[in-house]
Amino acid sequence: MELTRRRLLGLSGASLSGIALHGAGFSAGSAWAAPRFAGDPFAFGVASGDPLPDGVVLWTRLAPDPLALDGRGGMPERTVTVDWEVAEDERFTRGVRRGAEQATPELAHSVHAEVSGLDAGREYFYRFRAGADISPVGRTRTAPDDPARLRFAFASCQCWYEGFYTAYRHMAAEDLDLVLHLGDYLYEYGVGENGGVRGMALDASFQRETLSLVDYRNRHALTRLDTDLQAAHQAFPWVLSWDDHEVENNWAGDFAQLDTDGYPDQDPEAWRARKAAAFQAYYEHLPLRLPQRPRGAEARMYRKLAFGSLLDLHVLDTRSHRDDQVCGDGTKSGCDVERSAPGRQMLGDEQERWLLDGAGRSGAVWNVLANQTLIAQVDQNPDPAVHTSGLDMWDGYVDARDRLLRGLRDRNVENPVVVTGDIHRAVVADLTLDFADADAPVVATEFAGSSISSGKDGSPTDEVGAAWMAPGVNPHLKWHSSQRGYTVVEADSESMTASYRVTPVVTVPGSGISTVATFRVEAGRPGAQPA
């Protein structure tokens, strides 16, 4: 059934019948019996996520005044019962599941309905009702039991004030089973006096860096109002993990960035309070399951989703458990001893064991690692006498990278493929145990995707890319682009292909989309080749 973006955004369907079911909430008071809203309570649209063979999590947040300066979205301090319905058709004539959740002020009136009892590998439609208001219709899909093919897109880095989300409008028209978001869903910096390229006048509170729960809520709210982003969320289930900008640039576990103005990040308690605020707002605005709900400044974002015998998806968190960056962070030379120190952690002991043991036991054809920042070694200086490394990437955690790649090899992990965000450029790389040896055996393939909008308009190459791809400097890098866009991956039992979609302009809306490169990995033969 074809479902266009216009229909996704505009179809509301018939009213739901009233259902009195309990939901999980914190407020002691009774639910608002007959809520009436001053504006559309579903201004942020709807979303689904983390598909399982028998269900998905459905999301929305009630916010009739979405940019209210107190971060409440125009909602009172009252609990609201939100009904949800799932059907086999977009007009809801063949309903299959119904229920209700309690949207509480403690979680910004967000709803996370974990629906089960659905059939595997099926397309479903869903919607919400609060009072007399009905949400837009979303489309989702459960994970198949044993698919012959899986098709997904991955994306990252969507700086709101640096570009329009045109790529998501094109993504919503794709034929996909799911979307992976690999981090930097929002940016903590002030958005500028006129919202950057958006040309939107905003309150002064949007001009400063996010520090409090109200700040993070309103920055998410600003991001979620984009209709192209809403269309992509309404079209497919998403699987997400965070990187740094959801909290603060280049944060590392218990360590904050050093240069935040006007905030005592060097006070451990203040830093944990800021993380807790950022984590809560992230959960409130995205289709995440209950195990991913934070407990203060702690959250377990790493998890595995299985897609039959075809593919296991290992979702990583490379921020929460890592050691601090060495040599003051940044991109530097002359830091080889420090970045190669034994025992340095990128994933942390527990997550590292979970990943390697789980991938080693996997019976799937493909093991995909949803990773935040580049694993491949990159010498960023074409001078053969100087090695320059990005210390926030896995290059700053050499022993952790070596343990990862050796662990994949030693456990005979089937067809490991890494998909990566963060770097605002697209890269295809072979991952080996010795990047200095051009003949070293390939352990895995890395597909790094460019940004949705961060960095403004891109180009096929730039000065950084020219340095990376200079002859003889990084022979394991197969291809590079600094244009904006997303990547579509298709896997079957014989091969996996990655098609890089780019949109040439993001500083004005309405740009087109094109495929600039496609690479293929054959099952049983690690390493990517042009397709």
Side-chain angles (χ1 to χ4, degrees):
M1 181 183 298
E2 181 182 357
L3 188 66
T4 66
R5 174 175 173 270
R6 180 179 298 277
R7 293 167 76 191
L8 272 171
L9 292 175
L11 184 62
S12 62
S15 297
L16 300 175
S17 59
I19 305 170
L21 297 179
H22 71 277
F26 301 106
S27 295
S30 60
W32 192 1
R36 294 178 179 271
F37 307 103
D40 178 9
F42 299 107
F44 298 137
V46 299
S48 67
D50 275 26
L52 302 177
D54 71 338
V56 296
V57 58
L58 307 179
W59 173 93
T60 194
R61 179 194 167 196
L62 305 180
D65 184 5
L67 297 181
L69 297 182
D70 61 4
R72 296 176 182 175
M75 292 294 292
E77 289 292 304
R78 302 181 69 178
T79 296
V80 178
T81 299
V82 179
D83 299 310
W84 54 264
E85 183 179 25
V86 177
E88 293 179 346
D89 67 303
E90 61 186 297
R91 296 192 179 277
F92 292 83
T93 62
R94 300 192 304 276
V96 294
R97 286 291 182 273
R98 288 181 172 184
E101 299 291 329
Q102 300 303 309
T104 66
E106 290 85 351
L107 289 177
H109 292 95
S110 61
V111 175
H112 300 77
E114 298 194 20
V115 182
S116 60
L118 304 179
D119 293 333
R122 286 287 304 272
E123 180 180 81
Y124 290 97
F125 299 87
Y126 64 93
R127 61 187 177 184
F128 298 90
R129 185 184 70 177
D133 291 276
I134 299 175
S135 76
V137 172
R139 178 181 62 187
T140 191
R141 181 179 291 274
T142 52
D145 272 334
D146 197 18
R149 184 197 79 155
L150 194 73
R151 202 163 190 265
F152 63 89
F154 68 89
S156 65
C157 305
Q158 52 193 52
C159 185
W160 180 87
Y161 54 84
E162 288 195 336
F164 290 88
Y165 295 163
T166 311
Y168 282 132
R169 174 166 54 84
H170 294 290
M171 183 188 289
E174 299 269 7
D175 175 19
L176 303 174
D177 294 294
L178 69 153
V179 172
L180 306 183
H181 196 281
L182 303 175
D184 294 346
Y185 193 89
L186 57 73
Y187 280 70
E188 80 280 18
Y189 306 125
V191 302
E193 185 176 353
N194 296 307
V197 303
R198 302 276 182 153
M200 179 177 176
L202 293 164
D203 182 78
S205 61
F206 289 91
Q207 316 309 318
R208 62 173 183 258
E209 187 166 335
T210 50
L211 302 174
S212 68
L213 178 58
V214 169
D215 291 339
Y216 284 108
R217 280 176 173 172
N218 278 349
R219 200 61 51 85
H220 274 283
L222 189 64
T223 301
R224 289 306 304 253
L225 284 173
D226 186 277
T227 56
D228 291 333
L229 177 61
Q230 288 185 17
H233 271 296
Q234 286 175 233
F236 318 107
W238 284 40
V239 178
L240 303 102
S241 189
W242 54 48
D243 192 22
D244 54 339
H245 288 289
E246 288 90 349
V247 184
E248 181 189 42
N249 180 54
N250 284 16
W251 69 278
D254 293 331
F255 299 93
Q257 192 183 42
L258 298 179
D259 61 356
T260 300
D261 294 331
Y263 194 75
D265 276 349
Q266 299 315 294
D267 175 0
E269 290 305 313
W271 169 236
R272 289 182 64 82
R274 183 179 182 185
K275 277 205 301 182
F279 288 4
Q280 178 173 334
Y282 184 85
Y283 176 79
E284 290 170 347
H285 288 86
L286 293 167
L288 297 166
R289 291 183 179 272
L290 188 60
Q292 279 62 65
R293 198 179 85 188
R295 297 180 181 273
E298 305 294 332
R300 176 161 174 156
M301 292 302 295
Y302 63 89
R303 59 207 189 272
K304 187 184 86 168
L305 286 85
F307 297 88
S309 61
L310 180 63
L311 188 148
D312 278 349
L313 175 63
H314 309 270
V315 182
L316 304 184
D317 175 2
T318 61
R319 283 290 158 192
S320 299
H321 313 286
R322 65 158 71 186
D323 290 329
D324 197 10
Q325 295 91 348
V326 293
C327 300
D329 202 359
T331 301
K332 296 177 182 176
S333 58
C335 194
D336 291 348
V337 172
E338 292 87 348
R339 68 188 185 90
S340 302
R344 280 181 56 70
Q345 295 284 353
M346 175 63 91
L347 301 175
D349 283 333
E350 182 180 338
Q351 183 179 190
E352 188 175 293
R353 285 194 303 271
W354 165 85
L355 170 61
L356 293 176
D357 291 347
R361 292 191 300 266
S362 171
V365 175
W366 299 97
N367 279 273
V368 174
L369 280 59
N371 166 64
Q372 283 70 62
T373 193
L374 197 67
I375 292 178
Q377 176 179 291
V378 177
D379 184 352
Q380 303 195 37
N381 193 324
D383 184 344
V386 180
H387 185 99
T388 301
S389 300
L391 301 175
D392 185 61
M393 301 190 294
W394 285 75
D395 260 358
Y397 300 79
V398 175
D399 193 51
R401 177 172 61 201
D402 290 347
R403 292 194 309 271
L404 172 65
L405 297 179
R406 284 197 310 268
L408 294 174
R409 180 202 60 182
D410 294 347
R411 288 166 174 79
N412 297 312
V413 173
E414 290 290 330
N415 300 309
V417 173
V418 181
V419 294
T420 294
D422 179 66
I423 57 175
H424 305 176
R425 56 191 66 245
V427 171
V428 177
D430 290 339
L431 301 180
T432 75
L433 297 181
D434 185 358
F435 290 102
D437 181 0
D439 297 321
V442 178
V443 174
T445 299
E446 183 168 24
F447 294 120
S450 186
S451 64
I452 289 290
S453 61
S454 302
K456 297 186 178 180
D457 296 335
S459 59
T461 191
D462 58 8
E463 184 177 349
V464 172
W468 287 22
M469 302 303 291
V473 177
N474 296 295
H476 51 283
L477 301 187
K478 302 299 183 182
W479 177 78
H480 167 276
S481 171
S482 59
Q483 290 181 287
R484 308 292 163 238
Y486 60 92
T487 309
V488 174
V489 178
E490 183 169 334
D492 59 30
S493 61
E494 296 183 352
S495 66
M496 178 178 289
T497 60
S499 298
Y500 283 86
R501 310 271 204 258
V502 303
T503 177
V505 178
V506 297
T507 52
V508 295
S511 178
I513 195 82
S514 63
T515 301
V516 293
T518 301
F519 281 79
R520 184 173 187 264
V521 181
E522 295 182 10
R525 297 183 61 185
Q529 302 297 328

